[in-house]
Amino acid sequence: MSRGHRLPADWDAIVVGSGMGGLTCAAYLAVTGHRVLVLEQAGVLGGNSHVFRRRSAYEFDAGVHYIGDCGPDGVLPSILRGLGLDGRVEFRAMDPDGFDEVVLPGLRMFVPVGWDRYLDRLIEVLPTDKEGLREFTRVCSAVGAEMRWTLLSAAGVDPAEILRRTPTAMAWGRRTLHDLFEHCRLSAAARTVLAAQALNYGIGPEAATVGTHASVTDHYLRGAAYPVGGGQMLSASLSETITGHGGAVRVGHRVERVLVEEGRACGVVLATGQELRAPIVVSNADYPRTVLELVGEQHFPKSIVKRARTAVMGFPLVVLYVGLDRELPGRRNANLWWHGNADIEEAFRGLTDGRFDAPPSVFISFASGKDPHTPAIRPPGHANFQVMALCPRSLEPWGAAAEPAGGERYRRDPAYLAQKERVTETMLATAERALGPFRRHVTHLELATPATQRRYTRSTGGSPFGLARWGGTGARPDTRTSVAGLYVVGQSTRYGSGITGAAVSGIACAGQILGRPLLPEVYAGAVLGDHRLLPERGADWDPLRVCGGRAPRGTRSS
């Protein structure tokens, strides 16, 4: 993949950033005949779906921990199939009897596939909340199903029919999860179990909408899975689609600004000063950064500028990457959601107030359990897992981490290093509370901070979750902007968070550009990509190298 060659100046469309939203949009534009250029400022494609390698032994996912709704009629498989990628990305199902393990003081529950079985498990561990749990799951299962139907089937449907088909989503979708908890009169423990996986969308019950929670929960209750070969398989396959259909993808190319002339986007200027022209520009940067930095507030209505300036992002993350010289005994193929505080709403209020002496909860993802046969994940007999926790939004505790996005000086700052060492120890101690002692078996230990996230993705506030508040409760912008020819994709749009939400934003954006309902089309079976244009994958094929990574499989990634 070229990094330094000068690019042709004119394109049909330029995509800024290579997260799942940007790559999916670019792939659909490419297979429909557009000459597309994707520009990524980092050294590897994928945004939060990329991987990195350490110690010539371990491969860690930055953001792909599990994906829901991956059956034959699943949303993400349908998007990939529509590009001609059927069979090039495989998904390995997690334990259908318990793909998520939720642990609170005095309570343990495995989350199974299916709303009915989920309710049975909830009542089993929380019998005194039985009636409230029945009402909660009734509302959320209906909202999840109605929102999915709207996404997949409502193109061209009369608005009155949409209203008739989505009564529960209309009544509850924009209200907060806290409102539904109150309506159902649920105990603190029940609220914590129900919202235990809130790290999937990065905000607490008092900010998250029922629509967000219901759609994410419904997504996973349709079956959780992990891409065989790791998260880089997704971006590698999308990159092959783009280049196979005449597009181009470049890493190490930072866009300094989006060009706007006479109210219309017309190209980009790179950090090198090179100007590239296109009548369509798609930004995979988050919405505030797109408005305030890449484009400039002078090109937007005052209402949009105000929202961009007052926007609140999801909480940032700290992630501890762990390699062990032994397996973790007795673990099934399930994530662990460990909560030391049985009152999740109080825990989120603490985060909002900036309290983080120790993480109140952690999410632990076991890559070596989800993909045991991919050699790069870990050496035989070893374990590879990640410990994740939300942290306060302020960057002040990280010292020089508050420097401009993309800066690297923070990594040598004494205040930053001291905070990183302290948080590493608290994360390690919390992980041992959840898993039992393991530190004498540690072979690799590495902490990623909000500053790390900002450096690699240039996200506002170092959050990987996109917008938490954009005006009113539950409001998020669509992919089309008020600037002609300018679009925004990714986790800040109304299509939701996570890998699938970002991919949906990409196909929805391509559909708006093309003026056709692409997602309903491909979900119904349409295949727009030509698999004959995709390259053969030999025995030494490596998704990381396809995406710009310099290291062959099994060696250290720089």
Side-chain angles (χ1 to χ4, degrees), residues 73-88:
D73 68 339
V75 172
L76 185 59
S78 296
I79 291 173
L80 297 173
R81 187 167 53 246
L83 292 168
L85 292 171
D86 195 23
R88 290 176 78 91

Side-chain angles (χ1 to χ4, degrees), residues 65-363:
H65 305 116
Y66 67 147
I67 301 170
D69 197 12
C70 283
D73 68 339
V75 172
L76 185 59
S78 296
I79 291 173
L80 297 173
R81 187 167 53 246
L83 292 168
L85 292 171
D86 195 23
R88 290 176 78 91
V89 181
E90 298 179 13
F91 295 96
R92 181 174 184 260
M94 297 176 65
D95 191 336
D97 192 50
F99 57 84
D100 275 340
E101 180 185 8
V102 176
V103 176
L104 277 64
L107 183 152
R108 180 184 303 268
M109 185 185 108
F110 284 95
V111 178
V113 172
W115 280 101
D116 291 342
R117 297 177 68 206
Y118 178 51
L119 175 59
D120 290 343
R121 292 278 172 88
L122 289 168
I123 293 174
E124 182 181 323
V125 299
L126 296 159
T128 59
D129 285 282
K130 178 170 64 175
E131 294 309 315
L133 292 169
R134 289 188 189 279
E135 174 65 2
F136 183 90
T137 56
R138 181 195 70 80
V139 170
C140 285
S141 62
V143 171
E146 290 169 10
M147 292 179 68
R148 190 174 187 271
W149 173 84
T150 301
L151 184 70
L152 297 173
S153 309
V157 177
D158 183 78
E161 176 67 7
I162 295 175
L163 289 172
R164 188 186 71 80
R165 294 281 297 266
T166 59
T168 316
M170 292 297 174
W172 279 103
R174 294 286 289 271
R175 298 180 67 179
T176 69
L177 187 58
H178 173 79
D179 290 340
L180 184 55
F181 285 161
E182 292 290 297
H183 169 75
C184 298
R185 299 181 180 180
L186 293 166
S187 67
R191 297 175 189 216
T192 303
V193 171
L194 291 167
Q197 301 109 314
L199 189 143
N200 278 325
Y201 45 81
I203 47 179
E206 293 179 349
T209 64
V210 173
T212 294
H213 179 82
S215 61
V216 171
T217 304
D218 181 73
H219 174 72
Y220 287 110
L221 290 181
R222 292 177 182 273
Y226 183 80
V228 175
Q232 201 75 54
M233 292 294 297
L234 297 168
S235 47
S237 298
L238 292 169
S239 177
E240 288 178 332
T241 300
I242 295 163
T243 56
H245 290 80
V249 181
R250 296 290 185 270
V251 297
H253 284 66
R254 183 165 65 84
V255 171
E256 190 72 32
R257 71 179 189 277
V258 175
L259 292 170
V260 179
E261 296 176 358
E262 298 181 354
R264 183 175 188 90
C266 58
V268 301
V269 177
L270 302 181
T272 60
Q274 184 180 5
E275 185 176 300
L276 306 173
R277 309 287 291 193
I280 296 167
V281 177
V282 178
S283 173
N284 201 172
D286 62 60
Y287 222 96
R289 184 168 171 266
T290 298
V291 171
L292 301 175
E293 297 179 35
L294 287 178
V295 180
E297 60 187 67
Q298 68 273 22
H299 299 295
F300 291 91
K302 291 181 179 179
S303 60
I304 297 296
V305 173
K306 180 179 179 180
R307 288 190 176 196
R309 289 193 172 280
T310 59
V312 177
M313 308 302 289
F315 286 101
L317 276 176
V318 284
V319 185
L320 189 66
Y321 297 94
V322 185
L324 303 183
D325 65 7
R326 67 172 178 88
E327 300 278 9
L328 289 167
R331 287 221 58 85
R332 61 205 289 181
N333 187 7
N335 302 307
L336 175 60
W337 301 85
W338 182 91
H339 292 260
N341 185 341
D343 186 342
I344 196 167
E345 293 185 289
E346 171 58 29
F348 270 99
R349 283 192 286 271
L351 287 176
T352 301
D353 293 341
R355 301 197 298 271
F356 193 68
D357 294 332
S361 60
V362 291
F363 167 43

Side-chain angles (χ1 to χ4, degrees), residues 1-3 18-20 23 38-47 49-53 59 229-243 249-253 537 541-551 553 557-558:
M1 179 174 293
S2 172
R3 294 167 183 254
S18 69
M20 280 297 293
L23 289 175
V38 178
L39 298 169
E40 170 57 52
Q41 61 96 23
V44 179
L45 299 177
S49 69
H50 86 279
V51 303
F52 61 93
R53 295 175 183 156
E59 178 175 288
Q232 201 75 54
M233 292 294 297
L234 297 168
S235 47
S237 298
L238 292 169
S239 177
E240 288 178 332
T241 300
I242 295 163
T243 56
V249 181
R250 296 290 185 270
V251 297
H253 284 66
R537 294 177 175 176
W541 184 85
D542 183 345
L544 185 57
R545 294 196 71 179
V546 170
C547 294
R550 296 178 184 273
R553 192 173 288 283
S557 176
S558 58

